[in-house]
Amino acid sequence: MTALITQAVILGILLGGLYALLAAGLTLYFGVMRVVMIAHSAFLILAAYLAWAFNRATGIDPLFSLVATVPLFFLLGVVMQRFLLSRLKPATLTMMSVLLTFAIALIIEGMLGFVWTGTQRRISLSYSTASLEVFGANIAVVKLVAFGLAAVSLLALYLLMKATSFGQALRATIQHKEAAALLGIDTEKVAGYGFGLGLATAAIGGTALALDSTIYPSLHWHWIGPLMAIIVVGGLGSIPGAAIAALVLGLSQSLLQIPLGTTWAQTVFYLALFITLMVRPQGFFGGRLAQRF
Amino acid sequence: MPNASDLATPTPTAPATGRPDDSAGERFDRRLGLAKAGLGVVAIVLALMVPWLAPDAFILSVAVVIASYAAFAVGWNFVGGFTGYISLGHASYSGLGGYAVALLTTHTGINPWVALVLGAVVVALLAVPIGIASLRVRGASFVIVSIALVLILLLVFQSWASVTGGSEGLRVPRPFDSSVLRPEQHTRFYFLFLVLIGIALLVWWLIDRSQFGAGLKAIREDEDKAEALGVPTFRYKLVVFVISAFFTSLAGGLYALWFGNLDPVFQFSILTGSYMVLMSLFGGIRSLVGPVVGAVVVGYAMEVFKAQYGDSQFHLVALGLLLAVVVLFMPEGVVPALLGLVHRLRPAATSIREESAAELLERNRAIDAERRANNEASTEREAVDDPRHATTGKGRS
Amino acid sequence: MSVQQDVRPSLQTEGLSKAFGGVQAVNGATVTFHEGKVNALIGPNGSGKSTFFNIVTGMIAPDSGTVRFRGQDITRRAPHRICAAGIGRSFQLCRTFPRMTVLENLLVAVRPAGLSQLVGSSQNRRQVERARELLRRVGIDHLEGSLAQDISYGQQKLLELAGVLMGEPGTILLDEPAGGVNPALIGRIGTLVKELNAEGRTFIIVEHNMDMVMSLSDHIVVFDRGAPIAEGTPSEVQQDPRVLEAYLGV
C-alpha cells in the first residue's frame, strides 16, 4: 500500500511538472493580452505529433525535434499575436479571443486528423519500457525525462523573467500595461514575444507528452479543461500561482486515482475550479489582475 | 466590411433624428419598415410551409435539425446577445435537458411533455449555482467554466453508465405512439420547434424592451459603468443566464424526444456548443432574428457539407475557418451588416456618396452650424461641439 | 468661504489603504468631504486619487480601512448598492455605452423595483420625459437618437454627467471633468456644477485644471503618495508649503 502511495505521489509530481509548464504558458498569454488561449492544448498535441512524425521519419530521438519546434512555435506565437489577436477590438478582446483561439484549435485538430488520420499514435523508443526504482516505486524513464524537460524549461522561464531586461519588461507589461508603456516599454512587441514564449512551452510540453503517451487529434480537449482549472485556481495571471496549483492538483489527481480510478480522479480539477470561484474568485495565489476577470 | 464602427476617426454625426426637409429619407425609412415587415411575413409563411415543400422524409428531417439549431441558438443568445458573455459550453444545458426528459419519462412514467418542462426547470435550477460561480467575476472565468462544464459532464455521463447508459446510449421513449409514421413525426416535431422558437423570441423581445434588458445591454457595453449607474449587474447576469439555460434545455429535451437516443459524446460535445455560438454570431447576436437567420444559413451549409464530404475531419477545419472569419471580419453578424448596407442606400446618403470623408465632415459641420444659428443657446452649443480627442492637457494619475 | 462650524460630513474614509503589487496606491487615507459643498481632491500624478475614487465607489476592494457615507458604513459594498445609497460617479476617461443611443444611455440608470423591471418597458413615458429634461439641461437634447459612439468627446462628457444625474444622487463624484475638453466646455461644466450644487447636491471632484478647481471648490483635499497632506479652502491650500512641495517635487 505504501509503495502504491509513494508511486502515486511521484507520478503526481511528475505529471504536475508538465501541467506547471503548460499552465505557465497559458498564464503568459493571459498576462500580456488578457486572452484565454483555448488553442494552447491543440498546439501541445500538434507539437507531440511533430515529435512523433520526426521520430518516425528519421528514427532520431524525438527530443531533437525541439530544435525545430521551439523556434517555430515561438515565431507562430509572435505572428498569431501580431496578425490575429491584436486585430480584435479591445472592448471585446477577452470574449472574441476565446472564439478565435477556439477556431484555431478546431482547425489544428481537423488538420491533424486530415494529415495523420484519427488513428492513435505512440512513439516507441529503446528506453520506452525501461523503468527505475525510486523509494520502492517503479517509475518509467520516459516520465522522468518528460519531467526533467518540463522542470528545466520552467527554470529557464523563471530566470528569463527574473534576470533579464526583457523579462522585466514582460513582467511590467503583465502587471500594468499602461504604466509599462509610459516607462517606454514597447508593450505590443513584448506582448508578441510573451505570446511566442507561451507557445514555446506548448512545443516543449508536446514533445514531453509524445514520449510516454498515446496521442490522437482530439486529445487536446482532455488537456484544456485541467489546464484552465489550474490557472483559475492559481489566480489568473500569476505564474508562480499556476505552478503551485499545477503541482497540488496533479498530485491530488494522481492520489485520487487509487480509490476512484482514472476517470473520476479527473473531476478533481473541475471541483477545484468550482470551489475556487465560489470561495475565492480571484484565485488562491493571484495578484490584482484576477480581481476583475 | 471589417469593423466599420471601430474606426478611430470621428464618425461624422449622422443626422439620425432627420432634418425636417428630409422627406425622401423618411419615405425611405417607411418603405424599409414595410420591406422588413413583408420579408418577415414571407419568412414565416415559408417556414410554416416547409413540411409540404419538402420532397421527402430525409429533407424534412434536415429541416427539423435546422429548426433545432435555431432553437439552440436563440436559447444561447439570451446570455450571449444581451450581456456579451460568450458561453462555449451551452451543450451542457441542451444535453442535460435531453437526459432529464429521458430519465424522467423512463423512471417516473410521467407524460413526456410534462417531463420536458419539468426537466428544463430542473436544469434551470442547476444553472443557478453554476451561474453564481462563473458570473461573479468577468468574462474569462465564465468562458472557462462553460467549457469545463461540458468536459466534466461528458466525463460523468460516460462513466456513470448505470444511470445514463454510458456510451451504450440511452433510449428516449417516443411521445407519439408507433402508429404515427416517420414523416408525420418529423412534421409534428418541426412545428413543436417552431412554437418553441416563437416563445423564446417573444421572451427575448420582451426583455429587450424592458428595464432589465437596458441594464443587460449596458453590461455588454461597459460593465463597470453599468454598475456605477446602479445596475445590479451580478443579479441581472444570473437571471438572464438561468433563462438561457431554461430555453436551451427545452430545445435539448425536444431534440431528445425527436431523435430517440442519447449518447454522451454527442450530447455533451464542445462542437454542439460552438454551433450555437457560430450561428448566433453569424446572424448577429444583438438582433432578435440574427440567431435564427444564422442557424438557417450556417445549419443548412453544414448539413450540405456533411452530405457532400461526410462527417470528416474536414468538417472541423471548415467550422474553424468560418468561425475565425466571422470573429475577425464581421463580429457584428450579417443581419446588422446588411441593414447597414441598406441604410447607406438611404436617399439622404445617396446624394453624397461621391463625397470624400473630409467633404462629408465639412458638410456636417455646415449643417451643425446652421442648426446652431437657429438656436438661441448658440454659444453654449458651440462649446459642446469640440473635436474629439482634444488635447488632454496635463497627464493623468 | 465655508463656515467651519456648520460642516456636515458627506463621504468619510478612515485609514483607507490599497496596494498593487509592491506599490502602495492609497496609504492610510483619512478624509472627510463636506455635505452640500463642492469638494475637490487634487494631487500630483500617481498620488492615488483615482484608486481612492475606485475604492469609495466599490470598484476596487480596499486592503484595509472604512468608507462611510452620511454615517453609514459602505465599505466593500457592490458598486450598484453604493449608487443606490446616493453616490453617482463619472469616469476618468469618459465612459458611455457606445452602441446605445443617447436617450438609452440615460434610461439605463432608471431603477424600478421588483418585477416591473423584468416586464415593464424601459421606454416608460415619465422616465423618457425626465431623461429628455436632463439632456436639455446639459444641452445635447438634439442628439437623443444618435448612438453614443457617434457624438463628440465633449458631448459624451455631458452625456455621462446627464446619466449620473438620472440616478438622482445626492453626492456626485467627477473624475477629471475637464480632462480632454476645450475651454468653452470647461466653463459650461463648471456652471452646471455650480447650479447643481446650489440645488443641494454635494460634489467631489478630482481635477488637474487648477483654474477650475480654485474657482469652483469650497473645500480642497490635497493628496500625495496615497494620503492627504493638506486640506482647506482654496486660498489656504494655495499657501500651504507642503502642497507646493508635493507639486514642485522639491
Side-chain angles (χ1 to χ4, degrees), chain A residues 8 19 37 68 93 117 120 123 156 158 160 183 191 201 232 249 256 271 276:
Chain A
Y19 278 141
M37 165 80 163
L93 179 70
T117 75
Q120 303 201 339
I123 294 178
Y158 179 80
L160 180 81
L183 291 173
T201 67
V232 171
L249 289 176
L256 285 174
L271 214 60
T276 305

Side-chain angles (χ1 to χ4, degrees), chain C residues 184-199:
Chain C
L185 185 57
I186 291 177
R188 187 174 161 66
I189 292 175
T191 314
L192 267 169
V193 169
K194 272 187 187 144
E195 281 173 24
L196 292 163
N197 177 243
E199 289 166 17

Side-chain angles (χ1 to χ4, degrees), chain B residues 125-160:
Chain B
L125 288 177
L126 276 175
V128 174
I130 297 163
I132 290 175
S134 61
L135 289 166
R136 270 206 301 176
V137 275
R138 298 294 158 81
S141 305
F142 178 78
V143 179
I144 289 173
V145 170
S146 78
I147 296 176
L149 192 65
V150 187
L151 297 173
I152 191 180
L153 286 174
L154 175 60
L155 213 64
V156 169
F157 276 72
Q158 272 183 329
S159 311
W160 199 12

Side-chain angles (χ1 to χ4, degrees), chain C residues 80-210:
Chain C
H80 71 268
R81 292 190 54 212
I82 290 177
C83 176
I87 300 178
R89 74 164 290 182
S90 75
F91 285 83
Q92 190 177 14
L93 297 167
C94 149
R95 281 157 83 166
T96 54
F97 304 114
R99 292 179 300 191
M100 294 167 81
T101 66
V102 166
L103 189 64
E104 283 172 334
N105 260 272
L106 259 60
L107 294 173
V108 166
V110 180
R111 280 280 74 72
L115 274 179
S116 64
Q117 61 192 312
L118 291 180
V119 284
S121 169
S122 64
Q123 306 275 329
N124 174 306
R125 203 194 306 152
R126 220 184 68 242
Q127 301 299 354
V128 170
E129 264 321 301
R130 216 162 64 78
R132 288 203 172 116
E133 182 63 44
L134 283 170
L135 287 176
R136 246 191 310 280
R137 177 150 199 192
V138 301
I140 52 170
D141 50 317
H142 57 300
L143 296 167
E144 71 165 56
S146 310
L147 293 182
Q149 65 188 6
D150 293 335
I151 65 177
S152 78
Y153 188 71
Q155 289 164 339
Q156 288 189 24
K157 281 248 167 184
L158 292 169
L159 171 57
E160 192 180 26
L161 183 59
V164 171
L165 290 173
M166 197 68 190
E168 294 178 340
T171 297
I172 300 173
L173 278 63
L174 300 178
D175 201 345
E176 298 198 14
V181 296
N182 65 28
L185 185 57
I186 291 177
R188 187 174 161 66
I189 292 175
T191 314
L192 267 169
V193 169
K194 272 187 187 144
E195 281 173 24
L196 292 163
N197 177 243
E199 289 166 17
R201 290 190 177 83
T202 307
F203 278 87
I204 303 170
I205 301 176
V206 164
E207 186 49 65
H208 280 296
N209 183 318
M210 283 306 133

Side-chain angles (χ1 to χ4, degrees), chain A residues 133-154:
Chain A
E133 207 178 282
V134 189
F135 302 117
N138 256 334
I139 306 296
V141 170
V142 279
K143 284 204 193 299
L144 287 173
V145 175
F147 176 77
L149 201 57
V152 168
S153 316
L154 258 184

Side-chain angles (χ1 to χ4, degrees), chain A:
Chain A
M1 189 64 196
T2 36
L4 197 62
I5 291 177
T6 320
Q7 172 131 358
V9 168
I10 294 174
L11 285 179
I13 291 171
L14 296 186
L15 182 64
L18 189 53
Y19 278 141
L21 175 66
L22 292 169
L26 267 185
T27 304
L28 271 175
Y29 309 125
F30 190 82
V32 293
M33 288 282 289
R34 305 291 181 274
V35 160
V36 179
M37 165 80 163
I38 309 283
H40 189 56
S41 59
F43 278 105
L44 170 82
I45 305 304
L46 174 63
Y49 263 96
L50 290 176
W52 166 79
F54 169 78
N55 173 257
R56 192 176 66 161
T58 64
I60 304 172
D61 193 294
L63 287 177
F64 286 96
S65 70
L66 285 172
V67 178
T69 52
V70 169
L72 176 72
F73 274 47
F74 179 81
L75 269 180
L76 267 177
V78 175
V79 167
M80 224 175 111
Q81 192 275 337
R82 190 152 308 164
F83 294 103
L84 292 177
L85 290 162
S86 59
R87 286 186 56 119
L88 299 172
K89 283 190 223 178
T92 52
L93 179 70
T94 304
M95 290 301 170
M96 287 299 151
S97 65
V98 166
L99 289 181
L100 190 59
T101 58
F102 179 85
I104 292 169
L106 288 182
I107 295 171
I108 292 176
E109 183 188 337
M111 288 309 286
L112 285 178
F114 181 66
V115 177
W116 284 304
T117 75
T119 320
Q120 303 201 339
R121 308 285 183 178
R122 198 180 175 95
I123 294 178
S124 75
L125 293 166
S126 55
Y127 53 92
S128 278
T129 52
S131 62
L132 284 178
E133 207 178 282
V134 189
F135 302 117
N138 256 334
I139 306 296
V141 170
V142 279
K143 284 204 193 299
L144 287 173
V145 175
F147 176 77
L149 201 57
V152 168
S153 316
L154 258 184
L155 187 68
L157 185 64
Y158 179 80
L159 289 177
L160 180 81
M161 301 273 296
K162 284 283 176 193
T164 68
S165 62
F166 166 69
Q168 210 161 27
L170 193 58
R171 278 185 299 144
T173 306
I174 290 173
Q175 280 184 9
H176 202 308
K177 204 168 193 171
E178 289 75 30
L182 283 176
L183 291 173
I185 293 169
D186 184 348
T187 52
E188 272 310 295
K189 207 168 177 179
V190 168
Y193 292 158
F195 231 83
L197 274 182
L199 220 51
T201 67
I204 298 167
T207 309
L209 182 72
L211 286 179
D212 78 323
S213 297
T214 304
I215 51 174
Y216 48 93
S218 62
L219 179 61
H220 68 111
W221 295 117
H222 292 272
W223 280 83
I224 196 66
L227 286 178
M228 290 193 308
I230 287 168
I231 62 168
V232 171
V233 173
L236 287 167
S238 157
I239 290 182
I244 296 170
L247 279 174
V248 171
L249 289 176
L251 202 58
S252 319
Q253 182 193 13
S254 189
L255 282 170
L256 285 174
Q257 275 179 2
I258 303 173
L260 298 177
T262 358
T263 316
W264 289 101
Q266 255 204 310
T267 53
V268 70
F269 288 100
Y270 304 109
L271 214 60
L273 170 68
F274 195 74
I275 292 171
T276 305
L277 287 173
M278 279 296 198
V279 179
R280 214 179 133 81
Q282 71 271 36
F284 283 99
F285 311 98
R288 80 183 178 103
L289 256 189
Q291 286 190 2
R292 309 301 293 179
F293 295 92

